Amino acid sequence: MHAPLIAAAAAPVVDIDGTIFIQAGIFLLLMAILYPLLFKPWLATQARREQAITGTTAAATDLRARADEEGRRYEHRLAEARARAAGIRSDAVKGSEAERQRQLAEARAAATGESEVLRERLAHEAEAARTTLATRVEDLAQDIATKLLGRTV
C-alpha cells in the first residue's frame, strides 16, 4: 500500500523527453505573438506612467518652491506694510499729542488771562465798594445806632 506512494513521490515532476522541443516551440511562438500584442503595449504604458509620475513630481516640487517663494515675498511685504502702519500710527499719535499740548497751552493761557481780568475787575469792584462804603460810613453808623438804641443820636 505504501509502495505506490513511494514510487509516485520518487517520479520526477517534469519529464524531459522529446516533447521539450515542442513545448519550447510553443513558448517561443507565444512570445513572438504576445510580445507585440501584450507585452510591448504594457511596457510602453508602464514607461508613460513612470514619466508622468516623474514629471508630476517635478512639477509639484517646482510649484512648491514657487509657492514658498511667494509666501516669503508675501510675508516680507506684510512686514513692510506693518512697519509703515506702525510709523504712520506713531506719527499720528505724536501729531495728536502735539495738538493736544498746543490746545492745552492755549486753554491755560486763555484761563490765565481771563483769571487776571476777573481779578482786576474784582479788585476794582472791591475798591469801588470800599469807596462807596467809606462815604456812607457815617450814614450807616447813624442808622445802626438809631435802630439799636431806638432813638436818634
Side-chain angles (χ1 to χ4, degrees), residues 56-78:
T56 303
T57 304
T61 304
D62 183 47
L63 287 174
R64 170 75 63 185
R66 286 177 30 205
D68 289 343
E69 181 62 29
E70 284 295 320
R72 282 191 290 277
R73 276 194 238 133
Y74 172 76
E75 289 296 327
H76 181 69
R77 287 193 321 249
L78 187 61

Side-chain angles (χ1 to χ4, degrees), residues 1-9:
M1 191 157 192
H2 293 284
L5 290 176
I6 294 174

Side-chain angles (χ1 to χ4, degrees), residues 21-37:
F21 298 109
I22 295 172
Q23 290 175 3
I26 292 172
F27 177 77
L28 291 175
L29 178 68
L30 280 175
M31 282 298 294
I33 293 171
L34 291 178
Y35 182 76
L37 295 176

